[in-house]
Amino acid sequence: MTALLLLHLIAALGAPLLVRWWGRAAFLVLALVPAAALTWVLAQLSVVLAGGVVEETTSWIPALDLAVTLRLDALSLTIAALVTGVGALVLLYCARYVGPGEAGTGRFAGCLTGFAGAMLGLVLADDLLLLYVFWELTTVLSFLLIGGDGARLAGRRAASQALVLTTAGGLAMLVGLLLLGNASGSWLLSEVVADPGTGAAVTTGTLLVLAGAVTKSALVPFHFWLPAAMEAPTPVSAYLHAAAMVKAGIYLVARLAPGLAEVPGWRLVLIGLGLATMLVGGWRALRQHDLKLLLAFGTVSQLGFLMVLLGGGSRELAAAGLVMTCAHALFKSTLFLTVGVVDHATGTRDLRRLSGLGRQLPVVAVIATVAAASMAGLPPLLGFVGKEAAFAALWDGGLPDRTAAALVLAGLVLGSVFTVAYSARFLWGAFAGKPGTPPAEVLHPPGPLFLAAPAVLALAGLVAGPASPALEPLAARYADTLPLVAPEPEHLGLWHGWQPALALSAVTLLGGLALFAVRGRVHRMQERLAVGASADEGYWNVLQGLDRLAVLVTGTTQRGSLPAYLGTILVVLLALPGTLLVTRAPWPDEWRAWDTPVQALVGAVVLVAAVLALRIRQRLSAVLVVGITGYGLAVLFALQGAPDLALTQFLVETLTLVTFVLVLRKLPKDIAERHRGRERAARGTIAVAVGLLMGAVGAVALGARTATPVSVDFPEQAYDFGGGQNVVNVTLVDIRAWDTLGEISLLVVAATGVASLVFLRHRTGGVDRAEHVALRGDGGSRARRAPRRRWLAASATLDPQRRSVVLEVMTRLLFHPIMVFSVYLLFSGHNEPGGGFAGGLVAGLALVLRYLAGGRYELGEAARVDPGLLLGTGLLVAGGSGVAGLLAGADVLQSAIWQATVPVLGDVKLVTSLFFDMGVYLVVVGLVLDVLRSLGAELDRQDDEDDPIGLRPGEVVVR
Amino acid sequence: MTPTIVLPVLIGGLYAAGVYLLLDRSLTRVLLGFLLLGNATNLLLLSTGGPRGLAPILGYAEPEEMSDPLPQALILTAIVITFGISAFLLAMIHRSWRLVHEENVGTDEEDRRVAARSGLDADELDPDDLAPEDRPAGHADSLRPRGGPGTGVPSDDVDLPAASAR
């Protein structure tokens, strides 16, 4: 079964390609897929008839108890046969319905094939959540198919309406399924039905699931999406909105009825809504001019009928319902397909303009007449068998309550009268000659392939009527799971002797024909009885109300001020965790003054710097005092016993300062005060309160800490598994390597962001190399001839006034030792302070030195690579080393250690996490280089060339 | 574990200063506030590691004497990430200055417009205002015959697309 579903998936994905190769003939191949499924399903018939079930389980997400559990029993077999059979024929029909080379055919074919698979999965799924997944899949595909290419406003509206309604019902259903699964203790549909449990949870869950079924099967008051969905091409209407998707709700009800029919509210909801739907749909079908809409309202009506039968929860009604479901799928898809043929041939579906078509398209007329007769319930068609069985069931039993059964029977008879009337209206409208209307012109007579699908479907309905006793074992296999109310079960068949049900059938037939005969008067009555509102308008009003509410809420909460938002967040922080902290927190019993007195001293300096940062309005000075807090922190780290942190903090602080200076040189010297006194007071209050809160949180958290830290085994693990002595470094590259991988990815994103904010045209500019420019100062040609007089490669490009020989000499002397040192830090980091982060930062500082001493061309000479390349390589190396662990048979990012004795080097110990650290190193260098190239070199270039955003000639910027 | 007095005071002070700057409208001050908050948070993390110890390097100290390595690993990456984010914010400041000669977080005009709007969202057209061919089928249950009384038969019809016109 899983293989069949996969086959559908592959076919759906491959459909666009097939359509590109073979045009519309691809549908013929695609039709083979559901046909194969039909063959398989029918092959299981003997097993299922013998009382067996076919089951298949594939583990999917064991942690969530989610498995692909498929199960084929009598009910699923019946519906699956319908879904696959009609699906295959509809795809066949598409091969002639779509025009040759029509745009969007590939997408359409993929969606339709995918839908066939999703629908098959839906009826086979035995897992509650899997059922839901397929359920929503059909919803989404229906949305795509109704909307088409999205060119028509009405199509888009109809698609989104169907999506909103069925998804809303689907979400309610999901909650219901979860409740049912919890209450019954099983996530298998078959087990839930066998033993659903009791209590309020089951009742609530059942009603929520019914909400899903009711919306999906377009019952009142959600029926209106179905006629609107007729925007879709006719094959879609025939398949999704007549034979398959709308049957999903019916199927679900049929599936759950054996277990849940006695739940309070079940019968009330399903039979009440079903009857109302049957009458409303039939009544409205009587006044449609568009043949498709006529059929759509007819479908609504029939869905209500089916819901009454299958929701009734008795053996005899269920058997009738199952037969009626088959009959409906056969005749309704036939009718839709014939409408498609008529539409194709004449270019219209308006029954006021179609006249005398019966003579011109006799084959189509015969096919449609057979199907419509089945819809009207005429013998010897399958529709008659189903309807007769339903009437017979309700006459003697059907429902435990006799009064209710009588009322329901009366409703069904009235609904069936409407059905006969609109069936007649359909045939008359499509094929009859109408006096005063010129005969419709047949532009494209249909070919045999085009007629094959409707003909087969109509024939199936015709044959199945007399052959209905053969359906009995299958229907009984399902129906026997429900209690019998009538004295004895009625058998399926055309002739049961002279009995009341036959009389009722005759009544419906005569009543319907009479109603059709007086159609003029019926129309006038409809006009008089018209109400000024429809469910559809109600839907739009609800949506508009939602929209208004959204605007109101957004307008009230989003005031457009960042400080206000941040302030709100912080006030909530103070209000909730703050209150808890004051009222409930266990305050520490004892305190220490400090770890060492030096700590207090450094702390005082940091605090003073922080306060100064608030007062100083000169940009650079403010940055410097914030820098002091950073350096102070480095000292505190060192005091606490964290040399790696101290080193990193020191390097980063220096780099931050440089970056600030690079940008601040372009900004005004002072920061203007823009806040009124009252605002400052409010900010101050929040700030002090947050400060107190966080300080207290730190103390309370530490005081409350009693559990053994997870890191207590880290040193041992670091050496045994990570092969390193520096525990912090091994934690980064091994124990918590996933974290680090995420963090370096973030660095890549940040670096890319910096570059894209500065370079407006490209991700980065090209590398500015010195040989491309004429050297300034004493002339490039001489400098080129006498390279020995230069300390740096490109410093001659600088303005002589900006050059500093001391800096150049120092850079010349220091650059390479620093680079070597950075590599040393990288390699030794596993056992001593250092590592990829520190090494990369040191290398970055070396580049900073080159840039500061020699300008942007010097930077180009120092690092001739694109920063993006470094970042990407780094990420690749880090990720690749993780995969290497996987290839070596271990987990992702697990270290492997190789030890060997190499001639010259002696004992060499190689840990794979070293490569991970190299990736980190490259990413950090790339980040620094990107910052230098963007905020340094590119800003220089913009100044030099007076070109703020790299304008092309003739381009103008509008501000 | 016993907390110290110095570290919570320091953490609180840095948080207070950071929050005050973060609530400013000047982006430069917001960034400075962000840096102070970053420092404060790193210190908070460090303080949860307990009292000071020796560097967590085997061979240099015994595991019992070591400071907790886990907060250190967390802080180490946080430091570098803070640098990346500050560079990003600086680039934003630069760009804002380049383009509009402002480095302030102004009021979001879009938000103000939403707040000022009292009516409904304009994208959501009332179907009654649409051209008949754009209305959803089954919407107009009004049964008013189009083209004047007596000319038409009541219908929900809207003109659905014909197949040949698709």
Side-chain angles (χ1 to χ4, degrees):
Chain A
M1 283 181 269
T2 323
L4 285 177
L5 296 181
L6 283 178
L7 186 65
H8 278 88
L9 178 67
I10 294 166
L13 294 178
L17 199 63
L18 295 184
V19 168
R20 188 177 299 168
W21 287 342
W22 301 327
R24 61 183 186 173
F27 282 107
L28 299 177
V29 178
L30 291 174
L32 293 177
V33 175
L38 177 66
T39 318
W40 182 85
V41 166
L42 292 181
Q44 312 306 313
L45 195 62
S46 54
V47 177
V48 170
L49 283 183
V53 290
V54 186
E55 278 181 319
E56 204 176 292
T57 304
T58 315
S59 175
W60 184 14
I61 312 175
L64 291 177
D65 284 337
L66 203 56
V68 181
T69 313
L70 303 175
R71 190 171 190 273
L72 188 80
D73 61 4
L75 177 63
S76 357
L77 187 140
T78 314
I79 310 283
L82 284 180
V83 165
T84 50
V86 177
L89 288 171
V90 165
L91 282 169
L92 188 71
Y93 176 87
C94 283
R96 284 295 169 271
Y97 179 82
V98 300
E102 197 172 306
T105 305
R107 186 189 116 106
F108 172 74
C111 287
L112 204 57
T113 317
F115 173 82
M119 197 64 212
L120 183 62
L122 172 63
V123 295
L124 292 181
D126 194 31
D127 188 289
L128 291 180
L129 298 178
L130 188 65
L131 173 86
Y132 175 75
V133 169
F134 281 121
W135 185 277
E136 290 299 3
L137 211 53
T138 60
T139 302
V140 172
L141 287 168
S142 149
F143 168 80
L144 293 174
L145 286 167
I146 298 172
D149 57 2
R152 277 176 56 86
L153 176 61
R156 295 195 301 274
R157 280 177 169 278
S160 64
Q161 188 181 52
L163 184 74
V164 168
L165 277 172
T166 45
T167 315
L171 284 177
M173 181 179 113
L174 175 63
V175 177
L177 290 177
L178 294 180
L179 284 175
L180 284 182
N182 258 334
S184 67
S186 166
W187 294 98
L188 289 186
L189 203 48
S190 45
E191 290 175 11
V192 171
V193 172
D195 179 19
T198 50
V202 173
T203 312
T204 321
T206 306
L207 292 178
L208 286 172
V209 169
L210 288 189
V214 163
T215 47
K216 193 83 162 182
S217 288
L219 292 202
V220 165
F222 307 108
H223 59 289
F224 51 91
W225 73 259
L226 189 54
M230 293 301 129
E231 284 290 337
T234 302
V236 174
S237 307
Y239 190 30
L240 272 69
H241 305 129
M245 190 181 88
V246 288
K247 294 286 184 353
I250 307 283
Y251 163 76
L252 188 66
V253 165
R255 169 63 68 201
L256 295 178
L260 299 172
E262 301 306 324
V263 167
W266 170 281
R267 285 203 177 86
L268 188 70
V269 167
L270 289 181
I271 296 181
L273 292 185
L275 271 185
T277 309
M278 186 175 189
L279 297 178
V280 167
W283 179 248
R284 286 181 68 172
L286 284 178
R287 63 166 186 258
Q288 304 305 324
H289 293 149
D290 187 318
L291 289 175
K292 246 178 110 174
L293 278 183
L294 194 161
L295 291 180
F297 279 105
T299 308
V300 169
S301 170
Q302 295 284 309
L303 287 172
F305 184 27
L306 296 177
M307 207 55 114
V308 171
L309 298 183
L310 288 167
S314 65
R315 191 219 173 274
E316 54 270 38
L317 279 183
L322 203 58
V323 174
M324 202 58 216
T325 307
C326 298
H328 178 250
L330 293 177
F331 66 67
K332 195 49 72 62
S333 49
T334 312
L335 290 174
F336 269 114
L337 294 183
T338 53
V339 169
V341 173
V342 168
D343 195 2
H344 221 267
T346 63
T348 182
R349 291 191 307 260
D350 191 328
L351 51 79
R352 289 165 299 187
R353 288 165 57 195
L354 289 168
S355 177
L357 213 56
R359 281 178 203 288
Q360 299 182 60
L361 299 173
V363 182
V364 182
V366 168
I367 293 172
T369 309
V370 169
S374 182
M375 176 154 82
L378 249 59
L381 292 130
L382 190 58
F384 169 76
V385 177
K387 200 172 284 188
E388 180 94 338
F391 289 163
L394 278 169
W395 188 267
D396 305 322
L399 292 173
D401 184 345
R402 290 312 310 151
T403 326
L407 282 176
V408 170
L409 185 58
L412 291 189
V413 169
L414 182 60
S416 300
V417 168
F418 288 151
T419 309
V420 173
Y422 70 71
S423 303
R425 179 178 165 81
F426 174 83
L427 286 181
W428 165 79
F431 300 107
K434 298 174 191 92
T437 311
E441 205 178 333
V442 176
L443 303 170
H444 310 282
L449 186 59
F450 202 16
L451 292 180
V456 168
L457 287 168
L459 201 64
L462 184 63
V463 172
S468 53
L471 286 176
E472 172 78 25
L474 190 62
R477 186 57 67 191
Y478 163 66
D480 283 342
T481 54
L482 286 150
L484 182 69
V485 178
E488 60 185 77
E490 186 83 32
H491 292 289
L492 296 175
L494 282 178
W495 180 249
H496 296 107
W498 300 101
Q499 58 159 0
L502 191 64
L504 288 177
S505 287
V507 166
T508 55
L509 194 62
L510 294 177
L513 290 177
L515 206 57
F516 171 68
V518 295
R519 55 187 177 275
R521 237 176 283 170
V522 171
H523 290 155
R524 282 193 288 283
M525 191 162 87
Q526 291 223 1
E527 220 167 356
R528 272 203 305 284
L529 292 179
V531 282
S534 69
D536 181 71
E537 273 168 279
Y539 168 81
W540 286 111
N541 288 338
V542 168
L543 277 203
Q544 284 178 350
L546 263 181
D547 257 5
R548 285 203 192 95
L549 185 68
V551 170
L552 188 73
V553 170
T554 313
T556 322
T557 53
Q558 305 284 304
R559 310 304 299 189
S561 155
L562 182 63
Y565 296 157
L566 289 175
T568 311
I569 294 171
L570 292 170
V571 167
V572 172
L573 171 80
L574 290 171
L576 300 179
T579 315
L580 280 182
L581 188 77
V582 172
T583 54
R584 310 284 283 278
W587 286 91
D589 300 325
E590 46 180 334
W591 295 77
R592 293 176 293 136
W594 48 52
D595 285 308
T596 72
V598 187
Q599 197 179 38
L601 198 66
V602 178
V605 173
V606 168
L607 269 186
V608 170
V611 173
L612 280 178
L614 305 182
R615 310 280 312 164
I616 296 176
R617 307 222 57 95
Q618 204 189 13
R619 268 175 227 273
L620 210 50
S621 316
V623 171
L624 283 177
V625 290
V626 171
I628 290 177
T629 66
Y631 286 119
L633 217 60
V635 178
L636 288 177
F637 289 152
L639 288 175
Q640 203 74 6
D644 279 293
L645 288 190
L647 180 62
T648 314
Q649 174 78 25
F650 186 81
L651 295 168
V652 161
E653 210 50 56
T654 311
L655 269 175
T656 309
L657 279 180
V658 171
T659 317
F660 261 103
V661 171
L662 289 178
V663 173
L664 294 191
R665 64 195 165 139
K666 307 287 178 201
L667 297 180
K669 194 165 127 268
D670 289 327
I671 305 169
E673 175 61 78
R674 283 189 170 71
H675 294 268
R676 293 187 297 275
R678 220 177 48 198
E679 277 175 345
R680 287 206 296 273
R683 281 166 60 198
T685 315
I686 294 178
V688 170
V690 172
L692 287 174
L693 173 77
M694 296 309 292
V697 164
V700 169
L702 191 62
R705 192 173 157 179
T706 50
T708 317
V710 288
S711 53
V712 76
D713 295 328
F714 274 21
E716 192 187 327
Q717 292 169 346
Y719 194 74
D720 291 350
F721 304 125
Q725 293 168 336
N726 182 350
V727 183
V728 174
N729 184 266
V730 178
T731 308
L732 283 175
V733 299
D734 186 325
I735 301 178
R736 299 184 58 84
W738 271 117
D739 276 12
T740 314
L741 193 61
E743 281 146 3
I744 58 174
S745 313
L746 198 150
L747 290 183
V748 172
V749 173
T752 312
V754 171
S756 52
L757 281 172
V758 175
F759 292 96
L760 299 181
R761 294 280 180 211
H762 318 282
R763 187 201 168 280
T764 74
V767 179
D768 284 333
R769 297 288 301 273
E771 56 256 41
H772 301 315
V773 290
L775 298 177
R776 294 189 197 189
D778 45 9
S781 52
R782 234 182 70 199
R784 199 167 283 276
R785 274 200 307 276
R788 254 170 276 153
R789 285 188 49 199
R790 286 192 293 145
W791 289 97
L792 291 177
S795 55
T797 58
L798 282 181
D799 193 328
Q801 290 168 350
R802 282 171 60 187
R803 292 177 62 171
S804 151
V805 176
V806 180
L807 193 57
E808 283 177 32
V809 173
M810 274 181 47
T811 306
R812 174 79 196 219
L813 294 177
L814 287 177
F815 179 75
H816 294 98
I818 296 181
M819 288 308 280
V820 172
F821 178 60
S822 82
V823 175
Y824 169 76
L825 278 179
L826 165 66
F827 282 96
S828 70
H830 221 50
N831 296 322
E832 289 162 44
F837 281 110
L841 290 168
V842 167
L845 276 178
L847 292 173
V848 168
L849 203 57
R850 283 287 285 272
Y851 167 70
L852 290 182
R856 63 185 167 116
Y857 294 104
E858 184 64 32
L859 184 65
E861 293 296 323
R864 295 172 193 177
V865 293
D866 193 87
L869 194 67
L870 280 184
L871 292 167
T873 315
L875 208 54
L876 193 70
V877 169
S881 77
V883 178
L886 197 66
L887 293 180
D891 275 337
V892 178
L893 291 171
Q894 185 174 339
S895 298
I897 304 173
W898 285 295
Q899 271 177 312
T901 310
V902 182
V904 181
L905 296 171
D907 280 339
V908 169
K909 181 177 172 185
L910 189 64
V911 185
T912 49
S913 58
L914 175 66
F915 293 99
F916 186 85
D917 225 8
M918 284 182 193
V920 173
Y921 177 91
L922 286 177
V923 167
V924 175
V925 175
L927 169 69
V928 177
L929 189 59
D930 225 346
V931 167
L932 285 179
R933 191 148 284 162
S934 315
L935 298 176
E938 171 67 7
L939 298 200
D940 290 343
R941 190 196 65 76
Q942 292 174 357
D943 262 9
D944 288 352
E945 300 172 10
D946 195 20
D947 173 19
I949 50 174
L951 286 179
R952 295 201 186 98
E955 239 176 353
V956 184
V957 178
V958 182
R959 286 202 172 117
Chain B
M1 287 181 204
T2 320
T4 61
I5 296 174
V6 168
L7 285 183
V9 168
L10 190 53
I11 291 166
L14 284 177
Y15 264 110
V19 165
Y20 184 82
L21 289 179
L22 194 70
L23 293 176
D24 206 293
R25 277 193 182 280
S26 157
L27 268 178
T28 310
R29 297 198 99 194
V30 170
L31 175 53
L32 293 177
F34 177 76
L35 287 177
L36 286 180
L37 283 182
N39 286 343
T41 308
N42 286 343
L43 205 55
L44 179 67
L45 269 178
L46 185 77
S47 76
T48 58
R52 64 179 293 216
L54 294 177
I57 296 172
L58 290 165
Y60 173 75
E62 291 304 311
E64 302 83 54
E65 308 164 327
M66 286 179 186
S67 52
D68 192 343
L70 181 61
Q72 296 187 22
L74 299 179
I75 297 170
L76 204 149
T77 47
I79 294 172
V80 183
I81 286 176
T82 308
F83 169 67
I85 305 288
S86 338
F88 183 73
L89 283 174
L90 274 169
M92 269 172 67
I93 292 173
H94 164 75
R95 179 164 178 145
S96 161
W97 181 257
R98 264 290 178 200
L99 294 180
V100 290
H101 273 263
E102 280 275 344
E103 57 108 24
N104 287 309
V105 232
T107 303
D108 188 334
E109 291 304 322
E110 188 71 20
D111 280 351
R112 301 302 300 173
R113 272 203 292 281
V114 172
R117 183 186 297 177
S118 51
L120 65 157
D121 193 345
D123 330 325
E124 214 40 77
L125 295 170
D126 190 330
D128 288 333
D129 299 338
L130 292 173
E133 67 270 18
D134 283 338
R135 280 181 211 165
H139 171 76
D141 200 35
S142 45
L143 285 178
R144 282 179 295 268
R146 290 191 196 109
T151 53
V153 198
S155 164
D156 288 329
D157 277 12
V158 289
D159 296 325
L160 293 175
S164 46
R166 262 186 344 108

